[in-house]
Amino acid sequence: MAIRLLNLLAPATILFIAVALLIDPVSLLSTANKTFLGQLPYALALVVALLAYGFNRNQILFATLNLISGYLMIQLGLQVSLDQPNAYVLFSILSILLPINITFIATYSERGLFTPLGLTRLAGVLLGYLLLGLLWSNDSLAAQLPNLPTNMFEMFFAERFLSNMSAVFYGVALLTTLIYFVTQRGHGSAGVLISLVASLGMFIWFDLPNISTLLVTAALIAMGIAVVQNSHKMAYLDELTEIPARRALQDKLATLGKRYTLAMVDIDHFKKFNDTYGHDIGDQVLRMVAAKLASVSGGGKAYRYGGEEFTLVFPGKDEAQALPFVEQLRELIANYPLYIRDEQRPEDKKRGAQMRKQKAKSDHTNVTISIGVCEKTDEHLDAAAVMKQADKALYEAKNNGRNQSVAAHYKPEAPKRRRTRKDYA
């Protein structure tokens, strides 16, 4: 899990490091180039917002709107000394408004934008900035200076730009965002966390030249990458089993050479699991089988073809070479005791393993699979023809009693079928 979380944040980490390295070089740019750089976040925000909307990633959409709205207010009203009352009040309110919005955005689930709830959330993100912008344009913020809490005046006396009150709000936002990021482990939560880091950096290092432009640019690029990664995951990774899906298989088949072997895998009597135990247990069966298939050795790779069917791809191997690895998987699955998950069963894998050892009479069953194997030969025009022949071998395995592997061409001398503790199928 830790590796997956780090992978989600890897692009943002690289970009933020780049920001630290570019602060001095950017300060040497011409005025025209700095002006262009200052406009870049708006274009990036538009692109990221459209991507997020298109892929229904509303967390990243709201985080983008929140970040770019804060950036707009900084560019419009905070390019002057904070000794000016109007600027000081604007800075102080922004340092609270940004983390408040981020805290709420971190808790949002993905819903449609043009729904009552979606529009309410959108209004919640933007209304504060609209009101703040209106007060700033009328030079009305300075009048609010005496109304600021006392713990927002530390900047007058200390060499820092984050007041105690703002630090509290950012602390709450950070804690909330981290909790949702760790528990959800999604690209949406990663995008919200990235926007939090960027906005916090803008206030902590507010005196550095071009810091808001650089941080917002880096954050928006990272958030755009998160949307693309999420869309790629949706297209190429099966959500239930978390192994590559059919589209990924099609891409893989298009890159194979003239020598390879395909194995079509089907769970025996899968409908019985759903009828006997329910669809939740059926999903558990699919996840278990997928996890075992994903551990295939011999250079093979597992894909979910659809329903209860899976495909194994062995590049550079013929049937005789691939069959031992296929049989190894079949026996592994057939002899694996599938414990029926109940309310007391922990999600933690280690704890689950301990409970399986302790419960000698636990309710469990066994799953078997049938496999059809076919290698690429001159008689096959393409991968589709190889897969069709593997399907025929699979049907033969089913007709022969299931829980076995059948190769289209290679026929071993002795059948490699081992009796299981419980032949459910």
Side-chain angles (χ1 to χ4, degrees):
M1 185 182 75
I3 295 177
R4 181 177 176 181
L5 295 178
L6 290 175
N7 287 337
L8 288 172
L9 296 179
T13 302
I14 295 172
L15 287 165
F16 286 142
I17 292 174
V19 167
L21 298 175
L22 289 174
I23 290 177
D24 289 336
V26 168
S27 65
L28 301 177
L29 293 176
S30 65
T31 302
N33 287 332
K34 287 181 181 179
T35 301
F36 171 79
L37 185 63
Q39 301 302 312
L40 183 59
Y42 302 116
L44 288 172
L46 178 62
V47 172
V48 176
L50 289 175
L51 283 173
Y53 172 74
F55 290 105
N56 198 30
R57 299 294 93 187
N58 287 334
Q59 269 192 315
I60 293 183
L61 173 60
F62 293 141
T64 299
L65 294 176
N66 183 52
L67 188 60
I68 199 62
S69 297
Y71 175 75
L72 175 62
M73 295 307 304
I74 289 174
Q75 295 302 304
L76 291 176
L78 294 178
Q79 303 306 306
V80 295
S81 173
L82 293 182
D83 292 337
Q84 299 184 22
N86 209 46
Y88 188 87
V89 175
L90 176 60
F91 181 92
S92 299
I93 295 178
L94 275 178
S95 67
I96 293 177
L97 182 58
L98 273 160
I100 288 177
N101 282 342
I102 290 173
T103 301
F104 284 108
I105 293 171
T107 66
Y108 291 165
S109 56
E110 300 293 355
R111 294 289 187 271
L113 179 61
F114 294 106
T115 63
L117 179 60
L119 293 175
T120 300
R121 290 173 172 177
L122 180 63
V125 173
L126 297 179
L127 280 179
Y129 294 106
L130 292 174
L131 178 59
L132 189 59
L134 181 62
L135 293 174
W136 171 80
S137 63
N138 293 330
D139 293 325
S140 302
L141 288 177
Q144 303 302 319
L145 185 62
N147 298 325
L148 292 180
T150 56
N151 58 1
M152 296 188 72
F153 288 95
E154 291 88 352
M155 287 187 296
F156 282 139
F157 312 103
E159 294 182 357
R160 57 189 172 89
F161 291 92
L162 204 65
S163 66
N164 287 342
M165 178 173 285
S166 179
V168 169
F169 279 105
Y170 265 108
V172 172
L174 180 60
L175 179 62
T176 304
T177 305
L178 284 175
I179 290 174
Y180 277 85
F181 175 64
V182 171
T183 56
Q184 294 181 352
R185 288 172 281 172
H187 293 87
S189 298
V192 177
L193 180 58
I194 291 167
S195 72
L196 171 66
V197 173
S199 66
L200 179 60
M202 287 193 302
F203 293 115
I204 292 178
W205 296 292
F206 191 74
D207 58 331
L208 295 179
N210 308 296
I211 189 63
S212 60
T213 297
L214 291 173
L215 283 175
V216 171
T217 298
L220 289 172
I221 293 174
M223 291 160 72
I225 292 173
V227 176
V228 173
Q229 288 177 329
N230 182 79
S231 64
H232 182 274
K233 176 183 175 182
M234 292 172 62
Y236 288 89
L237 197 67
D238 181 65
E239 183 177 5
L240 176 64
T241 62
E242 296 188 344
I243 67 172
R246 190 166 180 171
R247 176 174 289 187
L249 172 63
Q250 296 300 327
D251 286 354
K252 180 64 176 178
L253 294 178
T255 63
L256 293 174
K258 295 183 178 181
R259 188 187 184 202
Y260 59 88
T261 293
L262 301 181
M264 295 300 295
V265 181
D266 186 85
I267 301 175
D268 295 329
H269 292 308
F270 179 70
K271 186 176 182 298
K272 286 187 178 180
F273 285 96
N274 284 332
D275 293 343
T276 304
Y277 300 107
H279 289 282
D280 288 343
I281 300 302
D283 289 346
Q284 185 182 342
V285 170
L286 288 171
R287 284 191 290 266
M288 184 276 290
V289 171
K292 300 304 180 185
L293 294 178
S295 67
V296 60
S297 53
K301 189 173 180 63
Y303 300 83
R304 186 180 182 189
Y305 187 76
E308 66 270 25
E309 283 193 301
F310 299 84
T311 303
L312 297 171
V313 179
F314 293 91
K317 283 186 169 53
D318 57 25
E319 291 175 3
Q321 293 171 319
L323 199 58
F325 303 107
V326 169
E327 274 293 291
Q328 184 181 42
L329 287 174
R330 185 194 61 75
E331 293 181 3
L332 176 66
I333 292 172
N335 290 286
Y336 181 82
L338 180 70
Y339 287 79
I340 305 303
R341 188 182 299 276
D342 54 30
E343 294 181 358
Q344 286 73 42
R345 181 180 173 89
E347 295 292 337
D348 181 74
K349 294 181 180 179
K350 292 183 179 180
R351 177 57 181 161
Q354 293 174 355
M355 289 183 65
R356 286 195 293 270
K357 294 179 181 179
Q358 295 170 359
K359 295 169 64 176
K361 297 182 179 181
S362 296
D363 184 14
H364 71 274
T365 186
N366 290 85
V367 181
T368 63
I369 59 174
S370 298
I371 307 172
V373 182
C374 182
E375 65 186 28
K376 174 70 169 68
T377 64
D378 293 338
E379 66 186 78
H380 303 120
L381 295 177
D382 51 26
V386 179
M387 187 173 292
K388 184 177 181 179
Q389 197 65 34
D391 258 329
K392 290 182 179 180
L394 171 62
Y395 291 136
E396 184 179 343
K398 291 282 191 181
N399 293 332
N400 290 345
R402 295 181 173 83
N403 189 24
Q404 58 185 277
S405 304
V406 172
H409 304 93
Y410 174 71
K411 304 298 180 183
E413 295 181 0
K416 295 186 177 182
R417 186 183 188 280
R418 181 180 299 174
R419 292 186 177 273
T420 62
R421 288 174 295 193
K422 179 182 179 183
D423 192 355
Y424 180 90

